[in-house]
Amino acid sequence: MERISGELILRSNKENQVSIPAKEFADKVVGLQFLHFYDAADVKQDNEISPQDWTVSILLNGVPNWKNVRDALWDEGTKSKWHEVNAKLEQVDAGWHLTDEAASEYEVRFKALLTEMLTVNGIGSPIAIKILHKKRPNLIPVVERIVAQFYLGWSLTSQDNVQQVESASSIIFNHFRNDLVLDSNQAAIAKIQNRISSGDNGFSLTDVRILELAIWLLSDTAGPGKINAL
């Protein structure tokens, strides 16, 4: 097995730099059985969001509000909304990657897509972005409370829908992308991917997902390089 060296560098909203040893992070991820379950879920990177896609995504959001689940999936009034969402999803190409030089051009399409998703009753931005991550894993990270707090200092759900779209977009295409494209991070991520995919229980993670998980696993109180237990 290749020896894992290097570090992941994360730069927060306070302009602090946090370093996470790549080996420590990789070993942690390999041991998280929930990630094996969630990230190995077979979700097609196509242009249609199905009830199965939606259900897989809420698993990262804790105990769901079942009325919202029913409204989002089965209510007659939402069917036309999902058609409109899928039309916007089709405009966000499955081949796009957040490290692409044209990423700034993708941002407009992402904002239109997220705006449309938030018109569906019962879909808030945390769940919406989890769904979009599964559909476009190379472009859209899971932006939930911890990631939003890390980069902006506040939760997306504390804002109205228009502000949530703007904040999520800023996190992904500015702050998060700036960390993702660092040469040192790309080199460390490649080694982490090899470690995670090797062995009998190996599975694959995109570089986008790995960097997002690094933020997720950081402790609010631990010093640099320390990874918090779930």
Side-chain angles (χ1 to χ4, degrees), residues 84-190:
E84 294 169 16
V85 169
N86 290 336
K88 290 291 192 297
L89 178 62
E90 188 174 6
Q91 296 176 23
V92 178
D93 194 278
W96 290 351
H97 197 292
L98 192 55
T99 58
D100 293 345
E101 292 184 3
S104 61
E105 300 172 19
Y106 306 161
E107 183 175 8
V108 175
R109 303 284 183 88
F110 166 77
K111 289 166 71 172
L113 172 56
L114 182 56
T115 297
E116 196 66 56
M117 287 198 75
L118 295 183
T119 67
V120 178
N121 186 33
I123 299 287
S125 60
I127 287 180
I129 298 173
K130 289 179 177 74
I131 295 171
L132 295 181
H133 165 72
K134 295 299 290 185
K135 303 303 288 188
R136 299 293 185 265
N138 290 304
L139 180 67
I140 303 172
V142 176
V143 178
E144 39 71 87
R145 176 181 56 85
I146 293 175
V147 175
Q149 288 281 355
F150 183 79
Y151 283 121
L152 296 183
W154 60 77
S155 172
L156 295 182
T157 54
S158 66
Q159 304 176 303
D160 63 33
N161 282 0
V162 173
Q163 292 173 319
Q164 288 184 53
V165 171
E166 290 297 327
S167 293
S169 182
S170 178
I171 290 170
I172 294 170
F173 292 93
N174 295 320
H175 303 285
F176 188 93
R177 184 178 184 275
N178 287 342
D179 286 344
L180 184 66
V181 299
L182 288 175
D183 289 343
S184 58
N185 277 347
Q186 286 290 307
I189 287 170

Side-chain angles (χ1 to χ4, degrees), residues 69-86:
V69 172
R70 183 199 66 194
D71 291 347
L73 292 177
W74 312 121
D75 186 80
E76 285 294 321
T78 66
K79 289 184 178 179
S80 63
K81 289 293 184 183
W82 281 115
H83 288 304
E84 294 169 16
V85 169
N86 290 336

Side-chain angles (χ1 to χ4, degrees), residues 1-87:
M1 183 180 298
E2 179 185 3
R3 180 177 179 275
I4 299 179
S5 59
E7 297 177 324
L8 290 174
I9 306 298
L10 301 167
R11 296 166 292 185
S12 74
N13 62 301
K14 298 179 181 179
E15 298 183 356
N16 294 327
Q17 180 169 294
V18 180
S19 302
I20 301 176
K23 182 181 186 304
E24 182 180 348
F25 172 77
D27 290 344
K28 183 74 175 180
V29 169
V30 167
L32 293 176
Q33 293 302 313
F34 180 75
L35 296 182
H36 290 253
F37 169 76
Y38 177 78
D39 288 283
D42 185 18
V43 174
K44 296 179 180 178
Q45 275 75 72
D46 56 15
N47 299 319
E48 181 176 357
I49 297 174
S50 70
Q52 179 184 353
D53 298 336
W54 199 94
T55 304
V56 166
S57 297
I58 67 171
L59 293 174
L60 275 186
N61 212 51
V63 179
N65 179 319
W66 290 109
K67 180 182 183 302
N68 286 348
V69 172
R70 183 199 66 194
D71 291 347
L73 292 177
W74 312 121
D75 186 80
E76 285 294 321
T78 66
K79 289 184 178 179
S80 63
K81 289 293 184 183
W82 281 115
H83 288 304
E84 294 169 16
V85 169
N86 290 336

